[in-house]
Structure formats: C-alpha cells, structure tokens
Amino acid sequence: MKLYTYAVAPNPRRVGLLMKYKGIELESQEIDLAAKEQFSPEFSAINPRLTLPALVLADGTMLTDTIAICVYLDEMFPDKSVFGKTALERAQIMGYCHRIFFEGFSAVAEVLRNKGEAFKDSPIPGPLKMPQIPELVERGNLRIRAFYEAMDVEVAGKQFLVGDSLSQADIDLYVVFGFCGWVRHSIPKECAALQSWFDAMKLAMGE
Ligand SMILES: N[C@@H](CCC(=O)N[C@@H](CS)C(=O)NCC(=O)O)C(=O)O
C-alpha cells in the first residue's frame, strides 16, 4: 500500500491525523501542490484526477477520495476505530463527514480559489480549467460564518461529535478550522462551545 500526500493540505491532513491517532505507518510520497507537482506526467499517470490524497493498494486499486481512504484504513487497522461502534454511530459520523466537507471545506475552497494568481484558471481541484468567479469569495465568507455558528450548536455539551470517543467527524471538523485560517477566519468569540471543543481536540491531536 502506498499513500500519495501533501501533509499540510487539508484533505491529506484528514488522513494524516487519522493515521497519527491510530498509529498507522505507510509507505508514502509527498507531491508538492505548491510547486504544482500534481500536474507532472509521473503523477498524472498515477492519479488522473490530479488530487491528493491518493492511496494505491497492493493489487493496484486506487482510492482517491479522502473519506474512502479513511474508511478503508480504519477497517484495515481496526484498533481505535474512528467510524463508530454501532450502525447508528457509523451513520451519524458519515453524516457529519459529508456535511463538514460540503458546508465547511467547500466554503473555504470557494474563498481561497476564486481570487489571486495561485488558482487562476483552476478554481476546482483537478484537471478542469475554468475561470475564477470573484463573487463566490463573498458568498464563501458568509458560508464560513454560518458554518461556525451551526457547528457551535452541534458540539455544545459534548466532548465528541458522536458517541463517547473521537471519530473521523471530529478529525474532519478540526482540520476544517485550520483550513479556515488560510482565508483569515478564526472561531468567533461568541462560539464558546466550539472553542472549548477545538482546544480539547488540539490537545488530543498532540498539536
Ligand atoms: N475528491 C478529493 C478531493 C481532494 C482535494 O481537493 N484535494 C486537494 C488538496 S486538499 C487537491 O488535491 N488539490 C489539488 C489542486 O489544487 O490542484 C477528496 O475528497 O479527497
């Protein structure tokens, strides 16, 4: 099994923190997104979607979606499962992961990728070339603010988003808040529950 990653980027970080929490070590290779190495002929031949993370299994099967990689690794290394103990917990964790990706990660990406030179002609990760839409920056900022408020309600009175142990939902939420910092957002001071949850997660993640 081999993992292609770029440790500082948010989706690879979702996998990286899962591996750290569970003590998983894999052969891995960094593809430098800042240097646009994902567009190299070598990496395009490995993952034509040109995104990270990507996990290649021993038989050559390729997984190129973070959630799929996390589910797979969690099952292959079952100690300290991060996908719940019951059918209901699993469903709730998957629901949160989906929601955090859609409402959180995509809102930040909307802000980050629709302005400036770094993502010119490339507002969506992958091979598709298209123009940036500057109006999406303002909408993205509103979405981020709404996301903080919604998640403040979700974590209120809880140590973990689901059940009594840390799950992939907690990891994803923790990573997305770091990603928010890339576009100069931080947890609003009114979101006290979220701030306490975040501080505890930071300790749990050893950061
Ligand atoms: N479908 C992928 C998307 C992953 C993704 O967007 N990864 C970003 C890094 S966080 C990427 O590869 N970006 C490449 C680019 O910006 O060209 C997943 O869910 O894992």
Side-chain angles (χ1 to χ4, degrees), residues 9-12 33 38 49-53 64-66 101 113 125:
N11 284 297
L33 294 182
Q38 74 273 34
R49 291 180 78 191
L50 311 182
T51 54
L52 296 167
T64 57
D65 284 302
T66 306
F101 190 72
R113 301 185 73 111

Side-chain angles (χ1 to χ4, degrees), residues 111-125:
V111 176
L112 182 70
R113 301 185 73 111
N114 281 291
K115 62 177 177 192
E117 284 298 304
F119 297 106
K120 195 167 184 303
D121 299 325
S122 184
I124 308 283

Side-chain angles (χ1 to χ4, degrees), residues 19-35:
M19 289 171 57
K20 182 175 174 187
Y21 175 70
K22 288 171 70 87
I24 300 171
E25 284 181 18
L26 294 179
E27 179 190 353
S28 71
Q29 183 178 331
E30 285 270 316
I31 304 294
D32 187 343
L33 294 182

